[in-house]
Amino acid sequence: MELWREILVDKAKQNRDQTVIDRPNEDELRKLTEIGRLIATSLSTDEAFEEFARLAKSLVPHDRLALAALTPDFNHVDSVFVSGIEVDQPNASQRVIIPHGRIKHQMFVDFQQYHAVDDELNELTELVDDEKYRIAAGLRSVLSTPLIWNGEPQGVMTLRSLDPKAFGLRQRMLANEIGRQIAGSVAMARQANELRRLAEEQVAIAEIGRIVSSTLVIEEVLASFVEVVRGLVPFDRVVVTAFDEDLNEVTDVLVDGLSLEQETIGISYPLPESKIQQNVILNQQTLVANNSVYQELAARSVAEVQRYNIGSRSLLMTPLVWQGRTVGTLNLRSKDPQAYGEHQRELAEQIAAQIAGAIATSKQYALLKKESVERERLSKQNDTIAEIGRIVSSTFRLQDVYSQFAEKARKLIPFDRIVIATLNPDCTIATDVLVEGEGTKNTVGKQFPVPGNVRELALRNHDPLILNEPDYSKEILPKYPLERDQMSAGLRSVMIVPLVSRGVVVGTIHFRSRENSPYNQETASVAAQIGSQIAGAVAASEQFESLRRSEKLLRTQVTVFETSADSINILRPDGSIESVNDAYLKETGYTREEALNQGPGFLRPPGQDAEYEEAWDTLSSGRSWFGVLKSVRKNGETYPVEHSVTPVFDDDGEIVRFVGIRRDVSDRLQAEEDRAARMRLDVENRELAEIARQREEFFTSVSHELRTPLTATMSFADILSRDRQGTLTGLQLEHLDVIKRNSRSLNELVEDMLDFSRLGTDRLKLDRSDVEVHALVESVVESMEPTIRAKSQQVEVVSAPVPVWINADSGRITQVISNLMANSSKYSESGSNIRVELELINDYAHIKVVDQGVGISETEQDEIFTPFFRSKREDVQIQPGTGLGLAISKTLIELHDGQIQVSSIENEGSTFAVILPVTSHK
Ligand code: ADP
């Protein structure tokens, strides 16, 4: 067994590592959707399964397909549908046991596919008997896919093939996808199976009643009894014992199956000394002992250890109780250490109820040798009861057989009117389902509140209630006014039988009679037997009807849930995840297996505890919660999610689930943020534009006011300095030069200020034309001559070997180069050299102005292009200047799609380079 676990874990690991690679392609997706639609829209599941098998085969080629549903105890699977190659198999049964700890069981625990080929299958036969028949049919590979629905295993889809290589990774992935489509349907089939099985069990139990009552010598019917019991509860040895009246001695009246060395049939021995068995006999409680519990019991009992030695591993011992007395026991033993659960205990108790009477009467009659007439009557009565069981178990639509039932019941119990009603789960509302006979009107389908109705008296304990005259008139009529109608219709007695199925009252039968005292202990006991025959069927029929109703609703809801574009998750009251839809998985990046059963903090990013707790407080107080919370995806990304979570309540107002709808709103929030930022920027830009406009207006008017007197000053200084009359002294002429020089630089300053004021407005416009750079540089050098000569500096021009054309505003480029040369002159010693170089590099004109001046420190190099920046150096500060020249130059060059760069070493000199694109057509 350990070996298989290893293989499985290994395989599960392989699956995990590899399934990520593949997704279904378009054609496959179409088929998968078709399967989903087919299964969801067709209620006639048999036809749907045929069509499903055809589609499944075209997706994953195979030779045999089997669908099986898990039984509620997880110990078996029931076959739901099989197609493909026939397997020749003796004793093939619809139901297959899944031994604990073995393959399929593990598959349902781990939710992993199981795949095996050839040799592995041979190994499998050691554990699963049936496997050898499949190998014999030539099937060489198997792929079992667990069907998971709502986070719970429902069954298994098993594909087999003659080809050992049939199920590769892609096929396994597709099988998984198919499984997801049909799991819901199998879940439905599973519930229907369960109901059908319960009904069949009721038939079998009724059959037992018939068998044992047909004779007084139980040994005569041993074989058929054993066969029917075997269909209900599995066993390897069955024993029925009978006690003497003083509970001193036990006799084995029936033994079948596994045999002991010395058989015990017919042998009498003292009551077993084991306390556990005495508990069965004295307290009339069924004993279930599996595995280790059974082992302990066997170790303490000499008799039991013999049974252990022949292989028994589980024991189910049920007392046979007749008229309050323990008359014997029904002992079932199995080699399966997990054979007996709650359901088997219930069935055994029902079988015991059927045979207790026979065991008791057979002993009594043997003793008293009663008349055969009475025997006959009792036997007929038992027959009729069994017949009733068969009738009601033959269909889920009980309304079809109610009148047949009433006819049979009339043979056993006298009545003039019979009413069967079903009860809702909390027994507050009764619905009439059968009304026959005299009295008040037909009320089939009508509902009545239970409180205030006489039937409430019968629900207190589970026994029939007899209300005969005169008690009926005296005590019941005053308390229950509704009963007056019955009285006035002449019905004077009533017997109310509660219908109890699995410990729950599911309905009532009212027998009413015109007689004064028709009902007594005997009729009550017969009525109780009838009640027990039909209670199970009533419950199953109710369940079946509501299943059919909810099935359709469920299918619609499931489709809505699955196809919703919004993520949906359903949480249990403790906040753990019960189910999620595909959109949720896509949003979060987790697989369904990873997401299910996670707690409330699953997607909570660190630091969001307070926000989550607040939402949770609102929810757990029963209110809905809407809002945006941060979530974190599997890949670690944090994103905002708009939540809408609503609690779901049961009838008592308790929270049973939370339904959460979530939407990733990062795109929406981002868009909102962007819009706000854009609006802020727009406002800022408008404000800035306004400031720039005002500034420009101011500068324009100031410079205009300055220029007029300045122009006048310059012109008159010019006229004066020409000295037409020759009357000016040398000193006066020198003074005039100073006036002219200062006026010129004042004029330049005004020009700079005008330019600066235009920075950032659209008033700085270029007047472009094709310009040859050598010519331009020559003219700049020429105009700068006086300034440079004044400091006894020399200018050297280094030309490029070819003409260099740019498309530019020649006035503006002249302004920039002049500015650079003026700076070089200003910030260099008298007598130093200035070089203007012209180069053509990769379609760019490089115009460099190189000096041997004070240079610029590295930190200051970053700042010299900002308006008003001037170096802190003293030798710079003493020179006139505004700190605007380079800022304006930079803007002008950039308007030309060019660049201006500086490189400099302090106290050694600077190089300014203007780089401009050349025109292509020259
Ligand atoms: P201004 O020359 O009117 O101060 P600029 O914008 O033309 O204004 O120059 C800004 C600053 O850059 C100058 O104050 C000076 O500190 C530095 N600078 C510019 N050119 C040179 C150069 N050729 N040599 C050294 N420093 C320079």
Side-chain angles (χ1 to χ4, degrees), residues 138-153:
L139 294 162
R140 295 182 59 193
S141 61
V142 60
L143 174 63
S144 283
T145 305
L147 303 175
I148 314 292
W149 171 256
N150 265 348
E152 274 177 25

mmCIF file of all heavy atoms in Angstrom, residues 138-153:
data_model
loop_
_atom_site.group_PDB
_atom_site.id
_atom_site.type_symbol
_atom_site.label_atom_id
_atom_site.label_comp_id
_atom_site.label_asym_id
_atom_site.label_seq_id
_atom_site.Cartn_x
_atom_site.Cartn_y
_atom_site.Cartn_z
ATOM 1 N N GLY A 138 -7.384 -6.311 -23.646
ATOM 2 C CA GLY A 138 -6.376 -5.673 -24.495
ATOM 3 C C GLY A 138 -6.096 -4.225 -24.143
ATOM 4 O O GLY A 138 -5.305 -3.556 -24.809
ATOM 5 N N LEU A 139 -6.748 -3.737 -23.112
ATOM 6 C CA LEU A 139 -6.560 -2.327 -22.752
ATOM 7 C C LEU A 139 -5.213 -2.173 -22.049
ATOM 8 O O LEU A 139 -4.907 -2.895 -21.109
ATOM 9 C CB LEU A 139 -7.711 -1.871 -21.862
ATOM 10 C CG LEU A 139 -9.035 -1.863 -22.620
ATOM 11 C CD1 LEU A 139 -10.224 -1.838 -21.680
ATOM 12 C CD2 LEU A 139 -9.090 -0.686 -23.586
ATOM 13 N N ARG A 140 -4.418 -1.246 -22.550
ATOM 14 C CA ARG A 140 -3.031 -1.171 -22.074
ATOM 15 C C ARG A 140 -2.678 0.131 -21.363
ATOM 16 O O ARG A 140 -1.548 0.284 -20.886
ATOM 17 C CB ARG A 140 -2.077 -1.395 -23.243
ATOM 18 C CG ARG A 140 -2.205 -2.808 -23.794
ATOM 19 C CD ARG A 140 -1.237 -3.047 -24.926
ATOM 20 N NE ARG A 140 0.134 -2.852 -24.505
ATOM 21 C CZ ARG A 140 1.147 -2.751 -25.348
ATOM 22 N NH1 ARG A 140 0.925 -2.806 -26.651
ATOM 23 N NH2 ARG A 140 2.371 -2.580 -24.916
ATOM 24 N N SER A 141 -3.598 1.071 -21.349
ATOM 25 C CA SER A 141 -3.305 2.278 -20.563
ATOM 26 C C SER A 141 -4.594 2.822 -19.970
ATOM 27 O O SER A 141 -5.683 2.589 -20.502
ATOM 28 C CB SER A 141 -2.620 3.348 -21.407
ATOM 29 O OG SER A 141 -3.464 3.713 -22.457
ATOM 30 N N VAL A 142 -4.439 3.504 -18.873
ATOM 31 C CA VAL A 142 -5.602 4.044 -18.173
ATOM 32 C C VAL A 142 -5.304 5.467 -17.716
ATOM 33 O O VAL A 142 -4.169 5.789 -17.352
ATOM 34 C CB VAL A 142 -6.000 3.150 -16.967
ATOM 35 C CG1 VAL A 142 -4.853 3.059 -15.967
ATOM 36 C CG2 VAL A 142 -7.231 3.702 -16.256
ATOM 37 N N LEU A 143 -6.336 6.302 -17.823
ATOM 38 C CA LEU A 143 -6.214 7.679 -17.315
ATOM 39 C C LEU A 143 -7.479 7.982 -16.523
ATOM 40 O O LEU A 143 -8.564 8.063 -17.083
ATOM 41 C CB LEU A 143 -6.078 8.671 -18.478
ATOM 42 C CG LEU A 143 -6.098 10.145 -18.073
ATOM 43 C CD1 LEU A 143 -4.915 10.481 -17.172
ATOM 44 C CD2 LEU A 143 -6.058 11.050 -19.303
ATOM 45 N N SER A 144 -7.335 8.080 -15.219
ATOM 46 C CA SER A 144 -8.494 8.386 -14.366
ATOM 47 C C SER A 144 -8.429 9.838 -13.931
ATOM 48 O O SER A 144 -7.410 10.288 -13.426
ATOM 49 C CB SER A 144 -8.490 7.487 -13.128
ATOM 50 O OG SER A 144 -8.928 6.208 -13.479
ATOM 51 N N THR A 145 -9.514 10.542 -14.143
ATOM 52 C CA THR A 145 -9.560 11.957 -13.778
ATOM 53 C C THR A 145 -10.625 12.152 -12.712
ATOM 54 O O THR A 145 -11.782 11.796 -12.933
ATOM 55 C CB THR A 145 -9.924 12.803 -15.014
ATOM 56 O OG1 THR A 145 -8.997 12.497 -16.046
ATOM 57 C CG2 THR A 145 -9.890 14.288 -14.697
ATOM 58 N N PRO A 146 -10.253 12.666 -11.558
ATOM 59 C CA PRO A 146 -11.278 12.890 -10.535
ATOM 60 C C PRO A 146 -12.204 14.014 -10.975
ATOM 61 O O PRO A 146 -11.761 14.970 -11.608
ATOM 62 C CB PRO A 146 -10.470 13.301 -9.302
ATOM 63 C CG PRO A 146 -9.188 13.835 -9.838
ATOM 64 C CD PRO A 146 -8.934 13.137 -11.142
ATOM 65 N N LEU A 147 -13.487 13.881 -10.675
ATOM 66 C CA LEU A 147 -14.454 14.916 -11.041
ATOM 67 C C LEU A 147 -14.745 15.734 -9.791
ATOM 68 O O LEU A 147 -15.263 15.222 -8.807
ATOM 69 C CB LEU A 147 -15.735 14.269 -11.565
ATOM 70 C CG LEU A 147 -15.499 13.331 -12.753
ATOM 71 C CD1 LEU A 147 -16.781 12.632 -13.156
ATOM 72 C CD2 LEU A 147 -14.925 14.094 -13.937
ATOM 73 N N ILE A 148 -14.331 16.977 -9.833
ATOM 74 C CA ILE A 148 -14.432 17.825 -8.646
ATOM 75 C C ILE A 148 -15.505 18.877 -8.883
ATOM 76 O O ILE A 148 -15.500 19.558 -9.897
ATOM 77 C CB ILE A 148 -13.100 18.554 -8.383
ATOM 78 C CG1 ILE A 148 -11.926 17.602 -8.500
ATOM 79 C CG2 ILE A 148 -13.129 19.245 -7.020
ATOM 80 C CD1 ILE A 148 -11.845 16.555 -7.444
ATOM 81 N N TRP A 149 -16.391 18.992 -7.970
ATOM 82 C CA TRP A 149 -17.492 19.958 -8.104
ATOM 83 C C TRP A 149 -17.672 20.633 -6.766
ATOM 84 O O TRP A 149 -17.723 19.965 -5.742
ATOM 85 C CB TRP A 149 -18.749 19.207 -8.523
ATOM 86 C CG TRP A 149 -20.006 20.013 -8.493
ATOM 87 C CD1 TRP A 149 -20.991 19.962 -7.549
ATOM 88 C CD2 TRP A 149 -20.431 20.977 -9.451
ATOM 89 N NE1 TRP A 149 -21.983 20.831 -7.870
ATOM 90 C CE2 TRP A 149 -21.684 21.465 -9.026
ATOM 91 C CE3 TRP A 149 -19.873 21.477 -10.632
ATOM 92 C CZ2 TRP A 149 -22.380 22.424 -9.732
ATOM 93 C CZ3 TRP A 149 -20.571 22.432 -11.336
ATOM 94 C CH2 TRP A 149 -21.810 22.895 -10.895
ATOM 95 N N ASN A 150 -17.687 21.964 -6.806
ATOM 96 C CA ASN A 150 -17.832 22.713 -5.554
ATOM 97 C C ASN A 150 -16.744 22.359 -4.569
ATOM 98 O O ASN A 150 -16.974 22.316 -3.369
ATOM 99 C CB ASN A 150 -19.182 22.384 -4.903
ATOM 100 C CG ASN A 150 -20.199 23.411 -5.291
ATOM 101 O OD1 ASN A 150 -19.842 24.460 -5.838
ATOM 102 N ND2 ASN A 150 -21.446 23.129 -5.010
ATOM 103 N N GLY A 151 -15.547 22.030 -5.078
ATOM 104 C CA GLY A 151 -14.449 21.725 -4.185
ATOM 105 C C GLY A 151 -14.528 20.346 -3.565
ATOM 106 O O GLY A 151 -13.741 20.005 -2.695
ATOM 107 N N GLU A 152 -15.492 19.527 -4.022
ATOM 108 C CA GLU A 152 -15.611 18.182 -3.453
ATOM 109 C C GLU A 152 -15.559 17.133 -4.548
ATOM 110 O O GLU A 152 -16.097 17.337 -5.629
ATOM 111 C CB GLU A 152 -16.971 18.028 -2.754
ATOM 112 C CG GLU A 152 -16.959 18.492 -1.347
ATOM 113 C CD GLU A 152 -18.336 18.380 -0.711
ATOM 114 O OE1 GLU A 152 -19.134 17.539 -1.191
ATOM 115 O OE2 GLU A 152 -18.595 19.138 0.220
ATOM 116 N N PRO A 153 -14.900 15.996 -4.285
ATOM 117 C CA PRO A 153 -14.884 14.942 -5.299
ATOM 118 C C PRO A 153 -16.288 14.360 -5.460
ATOM 119 O O PRO A 153 -16.985 14.141 -4.476
ATOM 120 C CB PRO A 153 -13.918 13.909 -4.726
ATOM 121 C CG PRO A 153 -13.841 14.189 -3.284
ATOM 122 C CD PRO A 153 -14.166 15.637 -3.070
#
